Amino acid sequence: MTTRIHEILKKYPSELLNEWLTAMTAGGVRRDALMKEGELREQCAEFLRLLTQATEQGNLTDVTASAFTPAREMLERLSRSRSLQGFSPAETAIFIFSFKQPLFDRVRREYAGQAEVVAEEMWGGTLLLDKLGLYTTEVHQRAREEVIMRQQQEMMELSTPVVQLWDRIVCLPLIGTLDSGRTQTVMETLLQRIVETGAEIAIIDITGVPTVDTLTAQHLIKTVTATRLMGAECVISGIRPQIAQTIVHLGVDLAGVVTKSSVAGAFNWALKRLNQSISAPGQRVSGKA
């Protein structure tokens, strides 16, 4: 059984579309800098068409029903697109909420003199549009969170570069705090680089790590262990006096880990470990017997 709302949507599609666009312009809802009028008109027309189809069976309350699936999918695409374009969640939701004015004006004109009918239809329309508007907000928020998480992942990957210092020697300079998520990225990046370069020694430099607590030390030990399982030796550099005292105070056991105070010291140790040396300027690099 169809509803009066559906009959109005079906009877006045062009009028509702034009009145809706006018209402958005008058209310300052439009953002011409982010979206052109033609694109906005297309979105409004598509929503009206899908809303008309969804309400054909008389359902104005359950927007999760299968009849509303096309409308929800359209709103999801719209919300994600607007999130990337720079619209706020409120501006995205107002796209739906602003349709109340032309719809309710049409209800009042269509059923003038029938106060109870007008009140009933306006209440049903309010519930419907509020649910759809909140749905766009939820999708918009999820899209923003996905973008933020992707950016965080990209920044994390950029903050863990593994550079090849010499033949069979790579170095991973760490900057900032180490947590479980970043440690996993550090470990995966380092191990992959070891495979790609055939490195036999990996230097993990923590000069840029502000503090070392028990958790950070445990993460470092796990990385060292994983490196050894790949057949490479690991040396930790950048152990400043304050960090050394902290590690001793925490009782962290680094007895089986080679440590150096600087990258230069670690690099020198690695060269000796591989029986290599750097000759004076102008001379070729040689290996020791």
Side-chain angles (χ1 to χ4, degrees):
M1 178 180 179
T2 60
T3 63
R4 296 183 180 93
I5 290 289
H6 171 75
E7 294 300 328
I8 288 177
L9 292 171
K10 186 177 180 180
K11 187 176 180 181
Y12 302 103
S14 299
E15 293 84 348
L16 287 170
L17 176 60
N18 292 328
E19 291 169 8
W20 188 10
L21 290 168
T22 300
M24 281 192 282
T25 301
V29 176
R30 286 178 49 182
R31 293 280 297 276
D32 290 340
L34 300 178
M35 179 179 297
K36 300 305 180 183
E37 181 179 355
E39 182 180 0
L40 179 61
R41 174 177 285 273
E42 290 178 3
Q43 291 178 349
C44 292
E46 183 181 6
F47 175 74
L48 283 176
R49 178 177 61 81
L50 295 175
L51 184 63
T52 303
Q53 293 176 359
T55 57
E56 186 174 3
Q57 302 302 319
N59 175 23
L60 295 182
T61 56
D62 185 11
V63 297
T64 63
S66 59
F68 279 91
T69 298
R72 291 198 312 272
E73 292 176 347
M74 177 267 172
L75 291 178
E76 182 168 353
R77 293 193 303 272
L78 179 142
S79 298
R80 290 183 177 277
S81 173
R82 293 198 170 198
S83 174
L84 296 176
Q85 289 175 314
F87 286 89
S88 69
E91 288 173 323
T92 303
I94 288 175
F95 169 79
I96 300 297
F97 296 150
S98 62
F99 182 56
K100 290 181 181 181
Q101 180 179 337
L103 178 61
F104 295 167
D105 285 347
R106 183 61 58 174
V107 168
R108 282 192 289 265
R109 289 198 295 269
E110 191 75 4
Y111 300 103
Q114 303 179 57
E116 292 185 1
V117 172
V118 171
E120 180 181 350
E121 296 306 315
M122 290 179 64
W123 176 246
T126 296
L127 293 178
L128 173 62
L129 295 177
D130 283 352
K131 290 179 180 179
L132 293 174
L134 291 175
Y135 178 74
T136 65
T137 303
E138 293 172 359
V139 174
H140 187 285
Q141 189 63 31
R142 287 201 304 270
R144 282 286 182 88
E145 291 173 353
E146 290 171 2
V147 170
I148 292 172
M149 289 179 64
R150 185 168 61 251
Q151 291 175 339
Q152 288 177 337
Q153 181 64 28
E154 292 172 352
M155 291 179 63
M156 188 178 295
E157 292 173 355
L158 291 173
S159 68
T160 55
V162 180
V163 295
Q164 185 167 5
L165 295 181
W166 205 258
D167 180 38
R168 295 178 290 167
I169 303 174
V170 295
C171 178
L172 171 61
L174 295 178
I175 300 175
T177 304
L178 283 177
D179 55 24
S180 299
R182 189 180 180 202
T183 301
Q184 184 64 30
T185 302
V186 166
M187 192 180 301
E188 292 175 356
T189 304
L190 178 59
L191 298 183
Q192 182 62 35
R193 190 64 172 151
I194 288 173
V195 172
E196 293 173 354
T197 62
E200 296 181 17
I201 295 180
I203 300 171
I204 300 178
D205 181 63
I206 63 171
T207 303
V209 177
T211 59
V212 174
D213 53 18
T214 304
L215 186 60
T216 303
Q218 290 174 348
H219 289 327
L220 288 173
I221 293 174
K222 289 180 180 179
T223 304
V224 170
T225 302
T227 302
R228 287 173 175 170
L229 290 174
M230 294 295 296
E233 295 186 70
C234 193
V235 53
I236 298 177
S237 65
I239 306 291
R240 301 190 302 274
Q242 305 92 312
I243 291 182
Q245 293 177 28
T246 301
I247 291 175
V248 172
H249 179 72
L250 294 173
V252 177
D253 184 14
L254 294 178
V257 181
V258 178
T259 59
K260 298 295 178 180
S261 61
S262 65
V263 175
F267 183 50
N268 186 52
W269 176 88
L271 289 174
K272 292 179 179 178
R273 189 71 174 176
L274 296 175
N275 292 323
Q276 295 184 7
S277 64
I278 301 179
S279 303
Q283 297 182 353
R284 297 180 61 185
V285 176
S286 63
K288 295 182 179 180

